[in-house]
Amino acid sequence: MNAHQQPALVIENVSVSYGHVRAVTDFNLSVNSGEVVALLGPNGAGKTTTLRAVSGLLPIQSGRVTLCGQLVSGLRPDQIARSGLLQVPEGRQVVAPLTVLENLQMAGLASKRCPPKELNAEIERIFTMFPNIARRRDVASGLLSGGEQQMLAIGRALIARPVALLLDEPSMGLSPLLTEVIYEFFALRAEVFGNVAVILAEQSRIALSVADRVCVLSKGQVVFTGLSSEFSQSLMVRAYLGVDAKASV
Ligand code: ATP
């Protein structure tokens, strides 16, 4: 990245509560275009809460989110999505009765970010990327396997030409084999994500295999942010045990 360029996505001091219960406190993270940051943490650490707050699905108690320098926190979720900040939620969300092709068409049109004239070419690009779902383009998406639905959910987000993409536990509910298949696609970084700024939330270290940097959450607080290569197993263990990992870095 050019030193004068700003990060695509900047999350500053974001705190989120459920009623009186604080779930995430002062979350800070900047992600550059073309960068993948793994957001790691155990069950209940606050990964989903953070991602949902960033994409406007949960109210932010304090802090701000900017996309390419434009303030997006405070906008409605649909406005945030149209500005180019897309989330692939936990548990994959595809429209089960619609075919694979219809799901992609719908996502492309609804986003208003892909010009209708370019939609077919964009869908073919997604199909080239994910041949597993290309073969099933006329099948109702509810009949796809978990791994195929995950690919479709990612395809639906990519077709909206995101500036930033939030992937919430794409391996959740998948067998180790299907998880491997999904991560083989993620490993084709440039082809799949291109210039998109990506946050990839996972409970396990698997996300490290494709991430440039890692951010670890424990009990709603960031306890480590650094290069994937600087990340150690002991940090992960400490995060999982709820020990203040800041003390060790
Ligand atoms: P997982 O990996 O299981 O998805 P997570 O890291 O995404 O976990 P969150 O789901 O964000 O964690 O949960 C963070 C905290 O907020 C937890 O203590 C959880 O119990 C709490 N929480 C999550 N959703 C709600 C809710 N709807 N109402 C109240 N508390 C919630």
Side-chain angles (χ1 to χ4, degrees), residues 5-220:
Q5 278 178 330
Q6 61 200 350
L9 175 65
V10 180
I11 307 166
E12 287 171 281
N13 298 320
V14 163
S15 296
V16 190
S17 296
Y18 293 103
H20 295 298
V21 181
R22 178 63 74 82
V24 172
T25 303
D26 287 335
F27 184 92
N28 283 288
L29 184 67
S30 297
V31 190
N32 299 321
S33 296
E35 187 182 36
V36 177
V37 179
L39 179 60
L40 298 185
N43 190 357
K47 304 180 296 297
T48 297
T49 300
T50 302
L51 298 190
R52 285 176 62 81
V54 169
S55 55
L57 295 166
L58 278 175
I60 287 177
Q61 200 174 7
S62 56
R64 67 206 293 266
V65 180
T66 56
L67 190 69
C68 300
Q70 301 293 314
L71 189 67
V72 293
S73 44
L75 298 179
R76 292 193 316 264
D78 60 306
Q79 293 172 320
I80 293 180
R82 290 213 184 107
S83 71
L85 206 170
L86 272 289
Q87 181 169 1
V88 178
E90 228 176 9
R92 315 169 274 279
Q93 281 182 7
V94 297
V95 186
L98 297 187
T99 66
V100 168
L101 182 61
E102 288 164 345
N103 260 276
L104 291 172
Q105 287 168 334
M106 201 181 83
L109 292 173
S111 76
K112 297 199 165 76
R113 294 181 56 80
C114 177
K117 273 198 290 192
E118 296 173 25
L119 185 58
N120 287 342
E122 195 68 11
I123 289 175
E124 287 312 313
R125 191 179 74 83
I126 302 286
F127 280 153
T128 308
M129 215 174 346
F130 299 123
N132 304 38
I133 59 167
R135 282 192 285 274
R136 314 203 67 194
R137 66 175 74 202
D138 297 320
V139 173
S141 53
L143 300 176
L144 301 181
S145 71
E148 289 165 343
Q149 285 191 17
Q150 185 58 264
M151 287 176 209
L152 179 56
I154 295 163
R156 280 172 49 99
L158 290 176
I159 213 157
R161 299 191 170 167
V163 174
L165 182 62
L166 313 177
L167 295 164
D168 195 1
E169 295 198 44
S171 72
M172 196 182 75
L174 298 185
S175 67
L177 191 65
L178 280 177
T179 300
E180 215 173 284
V181 172
I182 294 285
Y183 271 83
E184 274 169 19
F185 283 110
F186 289 169
L188 307 169
R189 284 269 305 265
E191 209 178 303
V192 178
F193 299 129
N195 242 356
V196 181
V198 179
I199 299 181
L200 174 55
E202 285 284 7
Q203 283 193 30
S204 79
R205 300 171 56 91
I206 186 155
L208 287 175
S209 62
V210 295
D212 304 296
R213 282 189 297 134
V214 55
C215 172
V216 182
L217 263 180
S218 176
K219 295 180 176 172

Side-chain angles (χ1 to χ4, degrees), residues 209-233:
S209 62
V210 295
D212 304 296
R213 282 189 297 134
V214 55
C215 172
V216 182
L217 263 180
S218 176
K219 295 180 176 172
Q221 300 210 4
V222 174
V223 293
F224 174 80
T225 309
L227 295 174
S228 299
S229 54
E230 291 168 353
F231 182 76
S232 71
Q233 179 63 23

